[in-house]
Amino acid sequence: MQQQDRMAGADFLRAAACLLVLIHHLILRVDLNKTEGWQPMLTALRFGNFGVAIFFILSGFLLALPFWRSLDPGCAMPDLRTYVLRRAARIIPGYWVALTAGFILSVTLLGHALTPELVMRYISGLFFMNQWQWRTFFPVEGNGPLWSISFEVTSYILLPLGFLWLFAIPEKHRSPLLTRLAWLGIIAATLLAHEAFRTLVPPNEIDRGWQYGMQGGAKEWMPNYNPIGFFAIFALGSFAAGIQILLPRKPRIWFDIIAFACLAAAALHFPLSTGGPWEAYGRLGIPYAFPLFPVLIAVALVALSRSVLLAALLDNTFIRFTATVSFGIYIWQDIVLTSIQTIAPAVFGIGKDDPLRDWFIGCAFASAIIFLLASLSYFALERQVIRHAARITRKDSVVTQYS
């Protein structure tokens, strides 16, 4: 987004999501049993994996806004070629580079044999098809978080398909109430499809579990982790966008109160989730305390967009920069952390009786490298492709206007 197009509060939630996921992966590098007085807080922060749900809510919200803005006044559906080109420009360049780097890392530093299965996983990741089967769930060994990118790409595809149904409603029968109810119907159908997936394609129990490596972990996560269930989270964000544009545009202080209350309630999920599985499975086995946590984030996002003070306070300079390079932070963090842990495990205090001090230092060192790589990824690669795609779509709109 350009500066003038920024949605109040969106930068904060994007930055919070990527930082929570980073914290989650940093905490995976410390023995919580040796952290003494810090153990309760670090255990709670390990649920930073909830940041993935925030990403899906935020993406669903922002990508649905143009569709709702066209739907309500009876305009034509936004140009899907522009939609696809901009999504591809935003995701593909950085993702493909990080995916390839993870593949190279897995067969070099990590010492995995270059087997046909490893190549198959990499190719499935290149084509965003790794999300449907546990064998390919993690497209490379050297960059675990990339599993979610193909999940999100599936949501990018399903979003306009859902809106095609809403735009097909005859304009004389179309109303904001009807279209919002229709979208709730899409969410309900998604949940039914998710439950069918869970029932029909459960993995077997052979070598199932994280003790068997990433593919064992994939079998542990599936079928609860599947792209249909994650579209339900994404679609909740899209529904929130439909509610947001119906609200009065003038900021009100009570929106600040609602946003603060929702963010505080969402944060309470971290300590309240301790003692249970790290995935915090919610209703229908969907992770990250579904639907309560995603709903709280969606309501907070709507309220922040109309807040008087809170969004301006949260969207500060550091947060905006972090949000700008957040995709790079997400796709490069595991490469950096895994490389450091493999080359010099003592950096994270691994194997020491009192690892906490070294772990904190290692976290600061690794985070600095991650922010540097993310900045290089954005300014040297991602931004250039995004701007090129924007120029193409602007030219296309001019040609269409005068043809």
Side-chain angles (χ1 to χ4, degrees):
M1 291 182 293
Q2 298 299 319
Q3 187 74 18
Q4 66 268 24
D5 297 328
R6 289 182 184 270
M7 178 70 66
D11 279 340
F12 167 73
L13 287 174
R14 191 184 305 280
C18 81
L19 291 177
L20 282 170
V21 174
L22 174 58
I23 289 169
H24 166 76
H25 286 103
L26 288 169
I27 291 174
L28 291 178
R29 268 76 186 178
V30 67
D31 185 349
L32 293 174
N33 295 320
K34 298 180 180 179
T35 55
E36 299 177 353
W38 290 84
Q39 184 175 359
M41 185 185 73
L42 293 177
T43 302
L45 286 175
R46 192 174 177 182
F47 288 93
N49 55 356
F50 278 54
V52 175
I54 299 176
F55 275 128
F56 274 78
I57 287 291
L58 186 59
S59 292
F61 184 97
L62 295 175
L63 294 180
L65 276 175
F67 291 93
W68 289 117
R69 287 170 178 164
S70 297
L71 181 70
D72 286 345
C75 300
M77 188 167 172
D79 180 50
L80 292 184
R81 182 177 181 275
T82 298
Y83 172 83
V84 170
L85 184 59
R86 289 184 174 179
R87 285 296 84 207
R90 185 66 192 93
I91 295 294
I92 289 178
Y95 168 74
W96 275 356
V97 172
L99 179 75
T100 303
F103 179 72
I104 294 171
L105 179 68
S106 66
V107 298
T108 54
L109 183 63
L110 300 184
H112 291 277
L114 185 58
T115 62
E117 183 157 345
L118 203 67
V119 174
M120 176 187 69
R121 289 165 60 186
Y122 170 68
I123 293 174
S124 71
L126 280 176
F127 290 97
F128 302 102
M129 292 300 295
N130 58 285
Q131 68 273 47
W132 298 104
Q133 223 275 344
W134 64 266
R135 289 184 179 277
T136 57
F137 187 98
F138 292 104
V140 291
E141 288 285 333
N143 201 342
L146 296 188
W147 67 267
S148 70
I149 304 300
S150 293
F151 276 59
E152 192 152 354
V153 168
T154 302
S155 292
Y156 295 163
I157 296 170
L158 294 177
L159 177 72
L161 292 179
F163 273 105
L164 280 171
W165 180 50
L166 270 61
F167 276 89
I169 300 173
E171 191 174 341
K172 63 180 180 180
H173 299 304
R174 195 186 301 168
S175 68
L177 176 61
L178 178 62
T179 53
R180 273 60 177 183
L181 289 175
W183 193 261
L184 288 177
I186 290 173
I187 295 176
T190 300
L191 293 175
L192 289 174
H194 161 77
E195 191 61 17
F197 187 97
R198 284 212 307 162
T199 303
L200 296 174
V201 291
N204 59 50
E205 296 298 323
I206 300 173
D207 293 340
R208 188 179 187 185
W210 288 101
Q211 67 271 27
Y212 298 106
M214 294 183 79
Q215 286 190 291
K219 293 181 77 172
E220 176 73 23
W221 275 3
M222 292 193 83
N224 288 335
Y225 278 63
N226 69 75
I228 302 171
F230 273 74
F231 179 67
I233 302 174
F234 188 95
L236 281 175
S238 303
F239 179 75
I243 299 300
Q244 189 258 8
I245 65 172
L246 297 178
L247 298 176
R249 297 188 63 84
K250 187 175 181 180
R252 301 288 185 186
I253 192 65
W254 55 272
F255 282 116
D256 295 68
I257 297 170
I258 293 173
F260 182 81
C262 287
L263 291 173
L268 277 176
H269 275 81
F270 301 156
L272 292 177
S273 297
T274 57
W278 297 115
E279 297 82 5
Y281 294 114
R283 297 290 182 182
L284 302 179
I286 298 175
Y288 315 130
F290 180 87
L292 185 54
F293 181 82
V295 167
L296 287 170
I297 296 300
V299 175
L301 181 55
V302 171
L304 283 171
S305 72
R306 296 292 190 266
S307 71
V308 176
L309 298 172
L310 187 58
L313 179 65
L314 295 176
D315 289 341
N316 54 61
T317 302
F318 171 73
I319 288 297
R320 291 204 171 207
F321 175 77
T322 303
T324 298
V325 301
S326 60
F327 185 65
I329 293 173
Y330 188 83
I331 63 177
W332 286 102
Q333 60 181 269
D334 206 48
I335 286 180
V336 172
L337 298 178
T338 301
S339 298
I340 292 175
Q341 185 174 344
T342 303
I343 296 171
V347 170
F348 290 115
I350 295 173
K352 296 186 176 181
D353 293 332
D354 185 14
L356 202 55
R357 181 181 66 87
D358 289 343
W359 177 77
F360 275 119
I361 296 173
C363 288
F365 173 68
S367 297
I369 296 175
I370 290 166
F371 266 80
L372 176 60
L373 278 176
S375 301
L376 288 172
S377 176
Y378 178 76
F379 291 106
L381 175 62
E382 297 167 38
R383 187 172 67 170
Q384 309 307 317
V385 180
I386 292 168
R387 288 179 172 179
H388 182 62
R391 286 193 295 269
I392 293 174
T393 54
R394 279 197 298 269
K395 289 178 182 178
D396 287 349
S397 65
V398 171
V399 170
T400 302
Q401 182 180 356
Y402 290 102
S403 60

